[in-house]
Amino acid sequence: MTPHFTHFAAIDWSGAAGERHRGIAVAMMAADDDAPHLVRPGHVWSRAEVLEWLVHEAPPRTIFGFDLGQSLPFADAGAFFPGWADSPPDARSLWAMVDAICADEPHLGVSSFVDHSEIARHFRRHAGREGDLFGGGRGRFRVTEAAQAAIGCSPTSNFNLVGAAQVGKGSLSGMRLLHRLPREIAVWPMDAITPGAKVVVEIYTTIAAITAGRRARNSKIRDGAALAEALGALGCRPGVMPDMISDHAADALITAAWLRGHAHRAQLWRPAMMNDKIAQTEGWTFGAL
């Protein structure tokens, strides 16, 4: 059964060090709204505040799209960390491990995890520190990232922590958030979805931007006119837009509007390339077929 939602939220996430991050933006749209809006516009969010808002303030029957990777590659090697006896068996166990190893780090930080003597062997870190099990090249990828590439996106490996396009740190900090969600909040595709429940999914904002008529390599928007055009392509009436807007806010707004228009599509909840094992270990990006 395809879930039915009344509200659609998108969170542009950040894995940067520290408590508050201008790179975090939260946008929301109700089913009958003309356009999405920023939640707490002008506010500089902390990751803990996003968790608090999601659990205690956001309405029920909301789908929350987080721009991060839910998990690490597993299917290519049969394990997250091949050859290590303590490698977790599934995504939820991975989230628990990340949160436990980083328990003493504030603000959902993840330095302790990537610096762990065994785990670090699988990551590419700053200062030329490439683990002997990173695998070279662009690193290892999840199956969903192949599906992302097939629709024109340019995914990066979650084992890569270097460069402007890296999403590894944000994904790992996001795993700490996912582990701390109450179990009545479903995380798709790992959990069964109860009618009326809040549901968290992984998103890739470039998918929404492509649907809105942007090219993948030119998906970032920083001016109001381009944002209004993109939202119009997604069936919104955005009204007056500011002359300048952060690309993080624009990504969140466009993706909230995209979720409103696409969360009802049964095909997106049953991707052809995703089986039960992939769902429980690697997860999936909502919108990647």
Side-chain angles (χ1 to χ4, degrees), residues 11-245:
I11 299 93
D12 202 44
W13 191 243
S14 173
E19 180 179 6
R20 297 185 178 276
H21 306 280
R22 296 192 180 278
I24 295 178
V26 181
M28 171 81 82
M29 188 172 187
D32 56 356
D33 282 347
D34 287 337
H37 63 274
L38 292 175
V39 178
R40 303 181 195 172
H43 180 66
V44 182
W45 289 84
S46 71
R47 288 183 281 261
E49 285 177 333
V50 174
L51 176 60
E52 179 74 12
W53 169 80
L54 190 162
V55 174
H56 297 293
E57 299 180 37
R61 296 176 69 177
T62 296
I63 180 173
F64 303 86
F66 276 82
D67 188 24
L68 53 84
Q70 295 173 327
S71 189
L72 296 172
F74 188 103
D76 64 330
F80 297 121
F81 310 111
W84 187 34
D86 292 333
S87 185
D90 54 38
R92 282 200 169 273
S93 300
L94 174 64
W95 303 345
M97 174 181 277
V98 176
D99 202 43
I101 290 175
C102 302
D104 293 334
E105 284 193 58
H107 319 311
L108 302 183
V110 293
S111 294
S112 302
F113 186 78
V114 299
D115 290 338
H116 183 281
S117 59
E118 183 62 37
I119 295 168
R121 300 177 66 191
H122 298 267
F123 282 92
R124 175 184 285 154
R125 297 177 290 163
H126 287 92
R129 295 175 297 166
E130 182 172 311
D132 62 304
L133 298 178
F134 177 76
R138 298 174 62 212
R140 296 168 57 199
F141 285 87
R142 297 180 296 159
V143 177
T144 191
E145 286 147 3
Q148 293 172 11
I151 57 177
C153 299
S154 299
T156 58
S157 172
N158 287 336
F159 281 118
N160 175 45
L161 308 179
V162 179
Q166 69 87 16
V167 294
K169 291 179 181 176
S171 296
L172 292 169
S173 67
M175 292 176 204
R176 295 193 67 185
L177 178 144
L178 295 174
H179 177 65
R180 294 175 179 216
L181 289 174
R183 286 308 299 264
E184 62 266 22
I185 297 177
V187 180
W188 179 86
M190 292 80 177
D191 299 330
I193 299 175
T194 303
K198 296 177 179 179
V199 178
V200 172
V201 301
E202 171 186 327
I203 54 165
Y204 190 173
T205 59
T206 300
I207 294 176
I210 291 172
T211 307
R214 306 286 296 186
R215 294 182 179 180
R217 294 187 177 183
N218 190 33
S219 64
K220 296 301 181 185
I221 289 176
R222 298 178 178 85
D223 69 86
L227 176 59
E229 182 179 359
L231 290 174
L234 294 171
C236 298
R237 298 177 181 176
V240 178
M241 288 284 129
D243 290 338
M244 300 296 294
I245 190 166

